Amino acid sequence: MDISIVGSGYVGLVTGACFADVGHHVICVDNDQRKIAALQSGRIPIYEPGLQEVVHRNVSSHRLRFTRDIKDGVDNSQIIFIAVPTPPQSDGSVDLTYIEQVAREISEVLTDYRVIVDKSTVPVKTGEKVADTIRRYNKIRVSFDVVSNPEFLREGSAVADLMNPDRIVIGSNSDRALALMKKVYEPFMAPILVTDVKSAELIKHAANSFLALKISYINAISTICETSGADVEQVAEGIGTDKRIGRSFLSAGLGYGGSCFPKDVAAFLAISAQLGAPFPLLKEVERINTNQRTRFVHKIKDTLWILKNKRIAVWGLTFKPDTDDVRCSVAVEVVNDLLREGAMVYAYDPRGMDNVEELGLCKGLNLVKSPLEAVREAEALILATEWKEFHRVDLEETRRVMQTPIVFDGRNFFDPQTMKAVGFQYYGIGR
Ligand code: UGA
């Protein structure tokens, strides 16, 4: 199939590269000149395991190319995916400016039947608006179909998620479009769920909000565990082995962050209210999520008493491991809480430090080159993101170089017994 993807961010780039890898011919379009120039010269603007190899392989075999020219993309493909950002607005609702702009740009160069697919995360009924826009701006009344095809890939495992999906959701009200979409996904050999456009749009927000709810649920239980003396890890195991519940997304910790869950929960709240069907359960999900971080910082203050001028080490800054993404990272928020208290914070992250610096997210934070450098002379260590690399750090050495060996484990990453045996004063979440 000949496919173009408008927007070469996380979703667009990974989707384009993986589509090319299964044999399609893909044109990635983006209006960011610097990004396109970087991609054309083989540089990948984001860190995502495996992505660079897939991009290079498919560029070399001429199945993947990059351009700024949307007409080139529209002329030379049967299907056009829209994968541009849908950023949040101050009231939680979604800013759809980029979607509307791309819909207009497509319609202005559309001369023959095309399927236009919404891949970006959008509120229910956006497909209707996209179709209206294309109809309004297309002078020659070309026929087209608008399809919704939400993505479920996670940063850090995006390539693997895309290549081996649990399911593919295609929301289409047209048989012609559906037949073409099925051809796109045939090589993935995954179950395809066909729905109407609105249901597909809703599936995306409902899925992310449900996963966020699962996290807040186990985090609320972690508080009960702390006050009662139970162990949240054992409780998660005990409920998660019930197939109806499932163990995934039941890891208690500092709460969810990143560019998806916080934004999508807020957006779902805003949309449901706009539709006259408010969803207050999700307000509680948000409240528990914020509370989880606040409680953690309280625990640190309670133990260390005064934070001013205390040297505190932080391991991990990204919103989750295996990514360089620090947007809406809870680790970054914890660092800023400590800096506001006057602490001297020394942080190390395997991939996220450049972004923290470039985006100016933590004024006054000291970024260091290794986990051991961070803990030298520290009065406490905070584990904020569970990078596997931290398992390789020598714990005896860590304890030896710290001024006072106190560990606050925000992701239940360490084994409490081992930590105590090494000589740490150890605090986990809900255990
Ligand atoms: C999420 C969804 O998992 C994807 O299916 C979806 O496609 C994506 O959003 C999106 O909408 O684009 P992502 O945000 O990349 O993916 O990462 P997750 O692995 O879902 O983690 C999100 C946050 O939840 C992280 O901060 C993570 O630390 C936290 N989390 C996750 C927990 O606190 N506990 C858990 O048990 C799982």
Side-chain angles (χ1 to χ4, degrees):
M1 301 284 289
D2 294 318
I3 296 169
S4 62
I5 310 221
V6 185
S8 300
Y10 250 106
V11 173
L13 188 56
V14 176
T15 307
C18 292
F19 279 175
D21 214 37
V22 298
H24 300 309
H25 286 95
V26 180
I27 306 171
C28 284
V29 184
D30 201 290
N31 61 5
D32 182 338
Q33 169 64 43
R34 276 176 46 201
K35 191 184 275 181
I36 289 298
L39 288 165
Q40 283 170 339
S41 62
R43 288 195 310 278
I44 312 296
I46 48 173
Y47 170 70
E48 186 60 42
L51 180 60
Q52 183 163 319
E53 292 81 343
V54 182
V55 170
H56 288 174
R57 183 163 63 237
N58 288 284
V59 169
S60 313
S61 50
H62 304 290
R63 282 196 302 268
L64 179 64
R65 65 184 176 87
F66 304 96
T67 178
R68 275 186 69 201
D69 182 5
I70 198 159
K71 185 169 168 24
D72 178 10
V74 173
D75 282 350
N76 295 299
S77 50
Q78 299 149 280
I79 305 191
I80 303 140
F81 285 78
I82 304 178
V84 293
T86 48
Q89 308 192 99
S90 53
D91 64 351
S93 66
V94 181
D95 179 358
L96 294 167
T97 313
Y98 298 125
I99 299 272
E100 196 251 7
Q101 193 180 321
V102 171
R104 253 174 32 209
E105 287 171 8
I106 291 172
S107 90
E108 279 158 12
V109 294
L110 198 63
T111 53
D112 215 343
Y113 176 82
R114 295 286 183 270
V115 177
I116 292 112
V117 187
D118 191 2
K119 194 70 156 149
S120 305
T121 302
V122 293
V124 61
K125 293 165 96 168
T126 300
E128 279 180 358
K129 297 278 183 210
V130 168
D132 285 349
T133 304
I134 296 176
R135 225 169 277 124
R136 194 174 324 132
Y137 289 93
N138 185 262
K139 300 264 181 328
I140 52 173
R141 296 179 175 272
V142 173
S143 79
F144 66 90
D145 283 304
V146 172
V147 165
S148 166
N149 173 222
E151 54 82 16
F152 302 103
L153 52 87
R154 290 162 300 173
E155 290 185 22
S157 53
V159 173
D161 286 351
L162 213 137
M163 295 309 269
N164 305 292
D166 287 347
R167 79 316 202 176
I168 288 149
V169 174
I170 303 176
S172 172
N173 303 337
S174 138
D175 290 341
R176 186 178 181 187
L178 183 59
L180 286 167
M181 287 298 287
K182 283 189 169 167
K183 276 195 188 159
V184 173
Y185 282 107
E186 214 167 51
F188 293 90
M189 292 186 294
I192 293 181
L193 180 69
V194 178
T195 68
D196 57 83
V197 176
K198 286 180 197 165
S199 301
E201 290 169 335
L202 211 78
I203 284 170
K204 172 68 190 193
H205 270 134
N208 272 6
S209 297
F210 187 79
L211 292 170
L213 178 141
K214 246 186 131 177
I215 297 169
S216 278
Y217 187 87
I218 199 66
N219 281 337
I221 288 183
S222 79
T223 312
I224 302 172
C225 287
E226 274 173 34
T227 50
S228 64
D231 181 335
V232 74
E233 295 298 317
Q234 294 180 22
V235 176
E237 207 53 40
I239 61 175
T241 37
D242 184 327
K243 285 197 192 72
R244 294 168 302 173
I245 297 174
R247 177 65 178 85
S248 61
F249 283 74
L250 283 183
S251 297
L254 288 172
Y256 60 78
S259 60
C260 301
F261 286 174
K263 180 188 92 158
D264 291 350
V265 171
F268 207 22
L269 267 163
I271 300 151
S272 53
Q274 272 165 28
L275 291 169
F279 199 169
L281 176 64
L282 295 183
K283 263 269 157 253
E284 190 56 15
V285 168
E286 283 184 331
R287 193 198 62 77
I288 295 168
N289 198 52
T290 309
N291 192 40
Q292 203 65 6
R293 182 186 105 236
T294 330
R295 272 191 338 106
F296 186 73
V297 174
H298 271 148
K299 201 186 294 173
I300 299 170
K301 278 166 67 179
D302 217 34
T303 312
L304 301 184
W305 191 22
I306 305 294
L307 298 187
K308 196 166 175 10
N309 294 329
K310 288 217 165 112
R311 186 168 169 145
I312 298 179
V314 174
W315 286 358
L317 291 169
T318 49
F319 85 97
K320 62 181 282 187
D322 295 321
T323 173
D324 62 356
D325 198 344
V326 291
R327 290 174 296 171
C328 295
S329 165
V330 185
V332 165
E333 289 168 9
V334 168
V335 165
N336 283 327
D337 288 340
L338 301 174
L339 289 170
R340 266 192 295 276
E341 293 284 334
M344 298 180 296
V345 186
Y346 288 76
Y348 169 79
D349 185 281
R351 293 276 175 182
M353 297 199 288
D354 288 351
N355 279 339
V356 167
E357 200 155 36
E358 266 164 42
L359 300 170
L361 294 182
C362 304
K363 301 264 178 313
L365 170 66
N366 303 287
L367 295 166
V368 295
K369 291 198 172 62
S370 73
L372 274 177
E373 201 181 327
V375 288
R376 195 153 294 134
E377 293 301 316
E379 294 182 48
L381 162 64
I382 294 168
L383 186 295
T385 312
E386 65 278 30
W387 283 90
K388 280 202 193 77
E389 150 171 357
F390 298 139
H391 274 311
R392 293 196 294 273
V393 184
D394 185 337
L395 288 176
E396 296 278 355
E397 176 80 354
T398 301
R399 195 210 62 231
R400 211 176 48 74
V401 300
M402 287 177 75
Q403 205 182 120
T404 46
I406 306 175
V407 174
F408 298 94
D409 183 352
R411 296 287 170 190
N412 285 350
F413 179 77
F414 296 113
D415 171 45
Q417 304 312 326
T418 311
M419 296 305 275
K420 278 174 198 154
V422 175
F424 287 107
Q425 187 176 328
Y426 174 84
Y427 300 90
I429 303 273
R431 55 179 183 171

